[in-house]
Amino acid sequence: MKSNKIFISGDEAVAQGVRLSRPHVVAAYPITPQTITVERLAEMAESGEMEGEYMHVESEHSAISATMGASSVGARTFTASSSQGLLYMAEGLHYCSGGRWPVVMMNANRSVALPWSIYGDQRDSLSLLDCGWIQVYVEDAQEALDMIIQAYKIAEHKDVLTPMMVNLDGFILTHTYELVDIPEQEMVDKFLPAFQTPNKMSFEEPKNLGFSSKPDDNTEFKYQQNEAMFNSIQVLKDVDQEFADTFGRKYDGMVEEYRCEDAEVVLVALGSVCGTIRVVVDKMRAEGKKVGLLKIRYMRPFPEAEVKDLAKRVNAIGVVDKDISFGYEGTVYTNVNSAISKIDKYVYKSNFVGGLGGRDITKDEIEEMFNKLFSGVENKSEEKVEFFSLNVESND
Amino acid sequence: MTNLVDIPKVNAKNMTEKEFFYGHKACAGCGGSIAVRLALKVLGERTYTALPAGCMSAVGFIYPQMAFNTNAIITTFPGSASMASGIAVGAKALGQKDVKTVVFAGDGGTADIGFQALSGMIDRNDDVLYICYDNEAYMNTGIQKSGLTPYGTKTTTTPAGDNIPGTITHKKNLFEIIAAHDIAYAATASIGYPQDFLNKVNKAKHIKGATFIHVYASCPTGWGTPTETSVEIAKDAVDCGLIFLAEFEDGEYKLNRNPKQFAPVQDYLKKQGRFKHMSDADMQCVIDNRDKKWSRMRKHWL
Ligand SMILES: Cc1ncc(C[n+]2csc(CCOP(=O)(O)OP(=O)(O)O)c2C)c(N)n1
Ligand code: SF4
């Protein structure tokens, strides 16, 4: 296979993925650390490299509204945001999934104010887990590019018709340069044909969209939306396989297991921290410790089957959360724990909350987490939620 | 730019008999629905209609009863202009020809929450005709004050009592704020002068790019007026000078009507429940404000 590797940042990789997907309309509003994506797309529109229309919207609310408008006439659309911008879109995010418009968005994961912070954690997208979007988290720039292309195919599938958010850790992925393989346009065109949908206004068959519904049928619409989300589980696996057949890269669908075959304790995480965890897993494995990593790729739909399957095989599961649902625990943990509770077996569980507002999660900290999991199993401890590497005294 | 002189005229005789807004659930005598109905007759079948939350969307799309015979969509409340922009740009990207996108938004959806998106839409000059039907309050949520509610109006959030005489701000100067964007075409209208409104919609239809019409549209429910007087009261508003008919075109303002004498403002106000409580001093305040406005318009727009 011919390869065309260039040295680009995660943001630029996203822009390349968007260009290759041939969107009709791009509408996005700049916000650090997503900005480079928007700038690159503008340059591509200027040079004619990207054929779609580039809209200079005046806000994120308008960005999501404009993409919905364009999608409602059958156009393929892209938007991008982060943090405050994503939250400013929140009304539109629910609207978009309810309208069943397969908009694709890149979100650069960034902490949300206050305190103001431009650095990365995942509280922005995880706090919007219930807005009806498919959410995928990537680990590097190549995966970011590939997932943009896959996202269109998944979101636009007739059994899915659900918008999709591709999440990249701010700075760690958006601004780090890597060698990225840029697929050939011809092959992308073959993999991703033009967007076709019955869910649009047209002059051949006029429609009224975005309607109201009475209590008599609202639940049925929401049921269908939920079914579509479940339908996407098979679709995203098929799309990943087809992607592998075409481009030679595979991402394993909902989750990726790393050295979990005979693992006794595993850490569960999303996004770029998985890279650090892999290194620690290798080190500890070399020391004879049976540790592993479960990288959750999709938070919605949630990989319940995969988490349950793993829980049956291990003694302890720790969840690394770069977010917190104030007054409770990390959001990823809530989801993982809920899946584990459905199997009939004792597994020691622990939630490690940290890395907020861009603080590094170090290899030493990860090793300590693994060790805590081992001792939790040994002492048959209660499940635990803790902030790690904290500079202030915690309550306990 | 389109040569506006060559545009074929519309009138009651050559207008389509087809109804594009049929079977809706608006109150009897609703001025907003008259504005939508008339405008769609001029705009015709190749129109995408976008409406934010507000009375016209609430009465038009109650699944499974859809009142628009042409393509229509409810937008987010703040995003009517941006969603319409997306429709227009999407249609362009898909190579669709001879299509028009129109927004029908209330005064609240236009002058308040939707204003940012509207400003952006005009700035980009997207091919959208934005029609604000002005019933002078948030009607769909039960008659609350908007930025276009006039001085003295009693609404549910500006109740009139011993301490406050209802609404204490004057109407936002919407038409001129829009014109200040250097938009290609903007106009004011009233459903009390339907031919004038039709002409303006027709003009806007033939202009490629962003256009704006602010149409005064009575609301018997919110105003406390008899349903059969809706058109009459919308005409009265113009005749007493509280509403003016004007255009902004090629950077110039034009007054379409410049009456030598105004009908008495008091007669207009006293016909409506929402102004019943007004004192003579409050009415004088309304008149003074009108006179100031007209002296400015006459000085600069004639
Ligand atoms: C973001 C948001 N805020 C508030 C509302 C509630 N809301 C629905 S309609 C409406 C008032 C509409 O007033 P206006 O635009 O003047 O139109 P009218 O009802 O008078 O036709 C409001 C406040 C909403 N739908 N969305
Ligand atoms: S409340 Fe007023 S604007 Fe709303 S439908 Fe009734 S008459 Fe029309």
Side-chain angles (χ1 to χ4, degrees):
Chain A
M1 200 170 303
K2 213 172 108 193
S3 128
N4 174 27
K5 287 202 166 147
I6 57 171
F7 197 55
I8 51 174
S9 68
D11 271 347
E12 290 169 312
V14 168
Q16 291 291 342
V18 173
R19 170 184 67 80
L20 289 164
S21 302
R22 297 190 189 271
H24 296 103
V25 176
V26 170
Y29 194 78
I31 178 168
T32 306
Q34 154 267 47
T35 323
I36 306 166
T37 302
V38 181
E39 291 171 345
R40 289 299 169 272
L41 287 168
E43 286 166 14
M44 290 172 184
E46 188 278 329
S47 68
E49 245 183 302
M50 189 186 74
E51 291 156 12
E53 298 283 331
Y54 185 98
M55 290 180 71
H56 298 93
V57 283
E58 76 298 332
S59 76
E60 287 87 354
H61 195 287
S62 284
I64 188 66
S65 294
T67 50
M68 287 193 277
S71 194
S72 76
V73 294
R76 178 173 287 161
T77 61
F78 177 77
T79 188
S81 197
S82 176
S83 184
Q84 309 296 121
L86 184 74
L87 300 186
Y88 189 34
M89 279 185 184
E91 182 198 21
L93 298 179
H94 283 266
Y95 209 88
C96 190
S97 61
R100 307 292 299 277
W101 294 302
V103 173
V104 168
M105 158 155 68
M106 169 264 216
N107 179 53
N109 279 120
R110 164 183 154 180
S111 190
V112 289
L114 282 174
W116 281 99
S117 164
I118 57 164
Y119 298 105
D121 65 41
Q122 293 162 342
R123 290 192 298 128
D124 53 359
S125 55
L126 288 173
S127 71
L128 288 164
L129 211 51
D130 298 335
C131 68
W133 284 54
I134 298 173
Q135 282 199 9
V136 66
Y137 291 77
V138 303
E139 192 182 333
D140 59 29
Q142 185 71 59
E143 190 177 359
L145 185 156
D146 293 348
M147 281 317 297
I148 293 286
I149 299 170
Q150 286 200 22
Y152 282 104
K153 188 136 179 159
I154 298 162
E156 292 171 3
H157 190 284
K158 66 174 178 35
D159 298 336
V160 179
L161 288 178
T162 295
M164 185 151 164
M165 189 188 295
V166 178
N167 291 284
L168 274 77
D169 282 311
F171 291 104
I172 303 174
L173 296 184
T174 58
H175 283 61
T176 301
Y177 278 68
E178 294 173 54
L179 261 188
V180 175
D181 184 36
I182 312 292
E184 297 278 322
Q185 181 71 62
E186 255 172 58
M187 284 167 66
V188 176
D189 290 345
K190 234 192 278 164
F191 174 78
L192 182 68
F195 174 35
Q196 299 287 348
T197 178
N199 181 31
K200 65 171 183 187
M201 298 188 282
S202 81
F203 296 109
E204 294 71 45
E205 220 186 312
K207 278 199 183 67
N208 287 187
L209 297 181
F211 44 78
S212 315
S213 78
K214 297 186 289 287
D216 285 352
D217 34 47
N218 194 287
T219 309
E220 283 67 22
F221 283 113
K222 293 293 138 189
Y223 173 81
Q224 287 176 1
Q225 208 179 321
N226 196 38
E227 285 298 292
M229 189 64 95
F230 283 125
N231 293 345
S232 73
I233 295 176
Q234 190 54 49
V235 172
L236 67 89
K237 288 177 184 168
D238 294 346
V239 166
D240 193 36
Q241 186 56 53
E242 201 187 321
F243 191 88
D245 297 342
T246 314
F247 301 101
R249 286 185 293 274
K250 188 160 165 52
Y251 294 98
D252 292 349
M254 301 283 279
V255 299
E256 186 200 324
E257 285 192 8
Y258 184 69
R259 307 191 80 166
C260 287
E261 318 78 57
D262 60 340
E264 287 165 13
V265 308
V266 292
L267 276 177
V268 177
L270 313 179
S272 62
V273 74
C274 292
T276 319
I277 300 176
R278 275 174 218 273
V279 176
V280 177
V281 166
D282 288 345
K283 174 185 176 270
M284 294 180 76
R285 281 276 177 178
E287 294 160 1
K289 296 183 182 124
K290 292 189 171 167
V291 295
L293 158 72
L294 182 77
K295 167 178 152 187
I296 290 190
R297 301 187 66 245
Y298 283 86
M299 275 300 288
R300 286 291 179 276
F302 189 72
E304 185 193 328
E306 289 80 355
V307 170
K308 275 157 64 177
D309 174 58
L310 179 80
K312 283 179 195 156
R313 292 183 271 133
V314 302
N315 299 331
I317 289 182
V319 177
V320 185
D321 259 296
K322 279 164 67 168
D323 73 284
I324 175 80
S325 175
F326 298 109
Y328 198 31
E329 56 195 18
T331 302
V332 183
Y333 183 65
T334 303
N335 283 266
V336 169
N337 206 358
S338 152
I340 299 174
S341 74
K342 294 174 191 168
I343 65 163
D344 190 17
K345 178 192 158 190
Y346 167 79
V347 180
Y348 172 65
K349 293 160 295 184
S350 195
N351 187 196
F352 304 104
V353 175
L356 302 184
R359 183 179 295 181
D360 282 339
I361 302 176
T362 65
K363 285 183 274 186
D364 288 347
E365 284 161 0
I366 289 167
E367 187 164 351
E368 197 183 320
M369 290 176 205
F370 274 124
N371 288 331
K372 281 186 175 174
L373 291 177
F374 279 118
S375 74
V377 175
E378 206 170 305
N379 304 328
K380 290 221 161 10
S381 311
E382 292 274 293
E383 94 177 60
K384 218 168 160 199
V385 178
E386 63 173 309
F387 276 72
F388 62 88
S389 91
L390 207 56
N391 293 327
V392 292
E393 294 285 317
S394 78
N395 284 338
D396 48 50
Chain B
M1 220 184 102
T2 321
N3 188 354
L4 299 176
V5 187
D6 298 335
I7 298 171
K9 294 261 177 301
V10 282
N11 56 47
K13 285 201 195 102
N14 65 14
M15 216 163 49
T16 176
E17 284 186 2
K18 250 191 189 166
E19 289 304 339
F20 297 126
F21 187 40
Y22 184 79
H24 57 76
K25 293 183 164 61
C27 315
C30 170
S33 62
I34 294 174
V36 172
R37 200 175 150 230
L38 292 179
L40 285 178
K41 278 178 177 286
V42 177
L43 296 170
E45 271 163 308
R46 289 187 68 79
T47 306
Y48 291 118
T49 301
L51 309 98
C55 277
M56 290 308 104
S57 62
V59 305
F61 302 69
I62 303 163
Y63 179 84
Q65 278 168 282
M66 304 299 177
F68 288 86
N69 277 337
T70 46
N71 289 304
I73 188 167
I74 305 184
T75 70
T76 54
F77 193 32
S80 48
S82 42
M83 217 151 146
S85 279
I87 291 171
V89 173
K92 179 180 172 215
L94 292 164
Q96 296 178 2
K97 298 255 156 39
D98 305 320
V99 299
K100 196 76 199 175
T101 304
V102 64
V103 172
F104 294 104
D107 44 296
T110 303
D112 299 339
I113 197 169
F115 192 75
Q116 171 185 291
L118 172 57
S119 180
M121 178 202 103
I122 301 170
D123 181 39
R124 287 186 301 272
N125 200 27
D126 290 326
D127 189 20
V128 178
L129 163 58
Y130 190 111
I131 298 180
C132 168
Y133 63 92
D134 183 7
N135 53 28
E136 302 198 315
Y138 296 117
M139 293 309 176
N140 187 48
T141 34
I143 323 170
Q144 296 88 23
K145 180 207 172 306
S146 85
L148 294 188
T149 303
Y151 181 85
T153 313
K154 186 173 103 184
T155 73
T156 53
T157 49
T158 52
D162 291 342
N163 301 312
I164 301 174
T167 303
I168 54 167
T169 50
H170 292 280
K171 267 175 107 75
K172 226 187 242 188
N173 207 341
L174 182 63
F175 174 58
E176 285 164 82
I177 300 171
I178 299 296
H181 287 73
D182 257 331
I183 190 170
Y185 181 74
T188 63
S190 164
I191 60 151
Y193 283 92
Q195 185 59 52
D196 174 75
F197 176 52
L198 294 173
N199 291 344
K200 288 169 174 172
V201 174
N202 191 41
K203 227 185 223 187
K205 174 187 177 178
H206 290 88
I207 295 171
K208 204 142 187 71
T211 50
F212 181 87
I213 297 174
H214 181 181
V215 57
Y216 193 65
S218 24
C219 165
T221 310
W223 293 6
T225 48
T227 54
E228 66 278 10
T229 65
S230 276
V231 173
E232 183 187 310
I233 202 115
K235 187 168 179 295
D236 290 349
V238 175
D239 295 343
C240 75
L242 290 182
I243 295 299
F244 57 90
L245 303 183
E247 286 171 294
F248 178 83
E249 210 178 314
D250 270 341
E252 301 284 343
Y253 288 100
K254 187 162 86 192
L255 258 177
N256 302 118
R257 284 178 62 84
N258 183 18
K260 286 211 170 58
Q261 226 181 345
F262 294 123
V265 162
Q266 287 89 339
D267 290 354
Y268 167 76
L269 296 175
K270 281 180 178 156
K271 281 184 192 166
Q272 305 178 48
R274 61 179 176 154
F275 299 126
K276 276 257 150 59
H277 61 281
M278 279 175 85
S279 66
D280 288 346
D282 282 334
M283 294 205 198
Q284 196 53 49
C285 174
V286 171
I287 292 167
D288 291 347
N289 197 55
R290 173 201 67 183
D291 292 345
K292 249 201 274 172
K293 172 94 194 164
W294 275 89
S295 83
R296 275 205 313 268
M297 290 195 295
R298 283 171 170 146
K299 191 162 156 207
H300 298 291
W301 297 5
L302 286 176

